[in-house]
Amino acid sequence: MLIHVTDTLPKPEFSPQIAHIAQAVQPFHVMKILAQAKALEAQGRSIIHMEIGEPDFASLPCVHQAASQAAAQGLTHYTPTMGLPALREKLAEFYGTFYHATVSANNIMITPGSSTALQIVLTALINPGDKVLLADPAYPCNRQFVRLLQGKVLAVPVTDEQGYQLSLQSLKAHWQAGIKAVMVASPANPTGTVIEQAELLAMAQFLAEKDAYFIVDEIYQGLVYGRPAESILAHDNLPDNVIVINSFSKFFGMTGWRLGWCVAPDHLIPVLDRLGQNIFLAAPTPSQYGALAVLEDEALAELEQRRQTFETRRNTLFNAMQQAGFSLKVRPQGAFYLYWDVSELTEDAEQFCADLLQAKGVALTPGRDFGDYQAKQHVRLAYTTEVDKLVLAVQYIREFVKAFKGS
Ligand SMILES: Cc1ncc(COP(=O)(O)O)c(C=O)c1O
């Protein structure tokens, strides 16, 4: 028997050398709440989960069938980096029927989740030192992606009076040299608010004149209430600076399948393709076959039912919170979130969330995850659970606040 000499030597010392840019990346603080909630559940406590930013519904059976059928047929190899041609065509068709937008399949890139689309698009645009303007609060990962590329984040505070969104006016007010791109989401996470189409178009035109890109995250489109689903791509006279991000995660209910896409102007397609080849090679093949099925009319009809369920939940939760005397300044028009100003109750939203969880078993997300501006005064409530649980949660929050105020 051969004995390797090295096996007998002591393990060499090694000092970790993690890159400082990676060291500076912030975690999702909600994971702490989630871990505490799970620990309480393990002790037998019942928890109402309103911290989770994904639909509670499982993905549709047609998705599972199409994906497993494809896998059984041996369709388990890489697709082209830009995505399965049939899926790109189907999405282009979907833009026509669902959004009344003319989009060419050639401009669509399929990615592993929209997270990768965001990362790859920013990689295509940002040189070290370039500035990216975005709202505070906003989806946290965007700031991290910009910093990983050594870009500079210009986080513009947005208030309830502004519907927690950037506008043409705020772009003009905060304009400065070196801004390479502006990022918005409509509807937004964590506020659920939208930017009207005329405003979005005006912002795109202003940015084109400034030679800056406009990255519009439409991942919560489809999940809008009392208004039609809309895409900025429906405008015929859109300048070539607009990039749309979307996903199968939220409206299509396929978070775990890790599939998203972006729609980019012609001049960006070759660089996105090259970056994709190097960064992820191709999005998961069975997921792409599953996605083909979810774009069929029957599946879309089921998703419309789910959208209505979310609308009922939003109405119930919003009304219950107001009846309980909690001031919600903005009625969100989409996604599955309410952003609640708790400044009358606490100066530390994170502690408030931790105490509420311990006392009443209701899990919420502290504002800190979404930025700095008034982050300690806000919490996000996700209505990704059933209506009766939402009603119960408001009752528990009310009892907690009563005891809290009394103490
Ligand atoms: C605004 C927004 N954009 C993008 C994402 C990323 O989602 P995914 O990678 O699942 O498509 C999320 C996830 O919560 C989000 O809220």
Side-chain angles (χ1 to χ4, degrees):
M1 195 168 88
L2 270 178
I3 295 176
H4 291 286
V5 177
T6 48
D7 287 350
T8 62
L9 294 174
K11 184 176 165 181
E13 284 290 317
F14 177 76
S15 344
Q17 302 284 333
I18 296 168
H20 62 268
I21 297 181
Q23 284 285 36
V25 170
Q26 293 294 307
F28 281 13
H29 299 289
V30 68
M31 290 304 171
K32 216 164 87 187
I33 293 279
L34 189 60
Q36 285 162 357
K38 297 265 178 230
L40 290 173
E41 272 172 333
Q43 291 165 21
R45 290 272 306 274
S46 142
I47 302 296
I48 302 180
H49 288 281
M50 294 173 69
E51 79 282 36
I52 294 172
E54 64 174 322
D56 46 327
F57 305 108
S59 48
L60 293 176
C62 66
V63 175
H64 318 164
Q65 280 153 17
S68 47
Q69 208 172 351
Q73 286 170 4
L75 299 170
T76 53
H77 300 282
Y78 296 132
T79 67
T81 296
M82 294 301 287
L84 195 65
L87 181 57
R88 295 170 77 199
E89 287 293 344
K90 190 92 189 160
L91 270 175
E93 230 177 81
F94 174 73
Y95 269 105
T97 50
F98 199 76
Y99 291 116
H100 310 293
T102 308
V103 172
S104 161
N106 295 334
N107 295 94
I108 300 174
M109 179 186 207
I110 311 293
T111 54
S114 68
S115 303
T116 316
L118 285 162
Q119 193 184 3
I120 212 160
V121 161
L122 287 167
T123 306
L125 305 184
I126 303 306
N127 289 315
D130 282 348
K131 297 171 189 167
V132 177
L133 190 147
L134 36 77
D136 180 352
Y139 181 58
C141 304
N142 295 341
R143 297 189 295 274
Q144 310 298 342
F145 291 148
V146 173
R147 288 182 191 132
L148 280 174
L149 295 163
Q150 301 186 46
K152 275 179 84 175
V153 175
L154 298 182
V156 172
V158 287
T159 63
D160 52 340
E161 280 139 27
Q162 296 165 294
Y164 300 114
Q165 287 280 15
L166 296 174
S167 62
L168 177 61
Q169 198 187 4
S170 58
L171 289 190
K172 285 182 175 168
H174 291 91
W175 198 255
Q176 55 176 269
I179 298 178
K180 186 72 175 285
V182 170
M183 303 180 84
V184 295
S186 178
N189 178 7
T191 59
T193 58
V194 304
I195 307 178
E196 294 302 337
Q197 285 300 315
E199 189 74 26
L200 279 173
L201 183 60
M203 291 163 84
Q205 284 164 344
F206 170 79
L207 292 173
E209 281 160 22
K210 299 282 186 194
D211 279 336
Y213 284 92
F214 194 28
I215 303 171
V216 183
D217 183 332
E218 297 185 345
I219 156 168
Y220 292 100
Q221 272 301 339
L223 288 177
V224 285
Y225 316 121
R227 54 185 297 133
E230 291 171 310
S231 170
I232 190 172
L233 297 169
H235 298 286
D236 292 333
N237 48 348
L238 209 58
D240 269 348
N241 62 338
V242 176
I243 302 158
V244 165
I245 305 291
N246 211 321
S247 176
F248 286 97
S249 287
K250 313 289 173 157
F251 171 66
F252 296 98
M254 292 173 56
T255 44
W257 297 81
R258 304 312 301 131
L259 211 58
W261 74 89
C262 64
V263 183
D266 291 340
H267 70 273
L268 283 178
I269 296 302
V271 68
L272 292 178
D273 194 3
R274 266 186 290 128
L275 287 168
Q277 287 164 17
N278 283 277
I279 292 174
F280 64 86
L281 247 170
T285 303
S287 302
Q288 295 193 63
Y289 283 99
L292 270 174
V294 87
L295 290 166
E296 293 294 339
D297 289 347
E298 239 170 81
L300 291 172
E302 286 184 67
L303 295 178
E304 168 55 20
Q305 296 291 319
R306 291 183 172 189
R307 187 201 65 78
Q308 288 174 19
T309 302
F310 278 119
E311 183 162 8
T312 305
R313 291 176 180 181
R314 179 208 56 171
N315 294 344
T316 306
L317 181 63
F318 189 86
N319 295 345
M321 288 289 285
Q322 285 211 317
Q323 275 159 21
F326 301 133
S327 83
L328 291 169
K329 292 169 183 153
V330 174
R331 185 181 167 87
Q333 303 111 309
F336 28 66
Y337 308 117
L338 295 188
Y339 201 50
W340 177 28
D341 179 350
V342 288
S343 57
E344 284 177 11
L345 307 170
T346 179
E347 286 176 356
D348 186 348
E350 209 167 353
Q351 192 60 48
F352 179 86
C353 288
D355 293 344
L356 173 68
L357 178 64
Q358 283 297 335
K360 292 290 180 184
V362 177
L364 307 179
T365 304
R368 183 176 170 208
D369 260 341
F370 309 103
D372 297 319
Y373 179 65
Q374 296 188 340
K376 287 186 167 182
Q377 301 168 23
H378 285 85
V379 299
R380 187 190 74 177
L381 291 77
Y383 40 96
T384 46
T385 189
E386 298 96 335
V387 158
D388 51 345
K389 287 195 184 154
L390 296 173
V391 172
L392 203 58
V394 176
Q395 183 193 319
Y396 290 161
I397 296 172
R398 200 175 177 171
E399 289 166 6
F400 171 72
V401 165
K402 212 167 152 193
F404 188 77
K405 274 182 168 168
S407 64

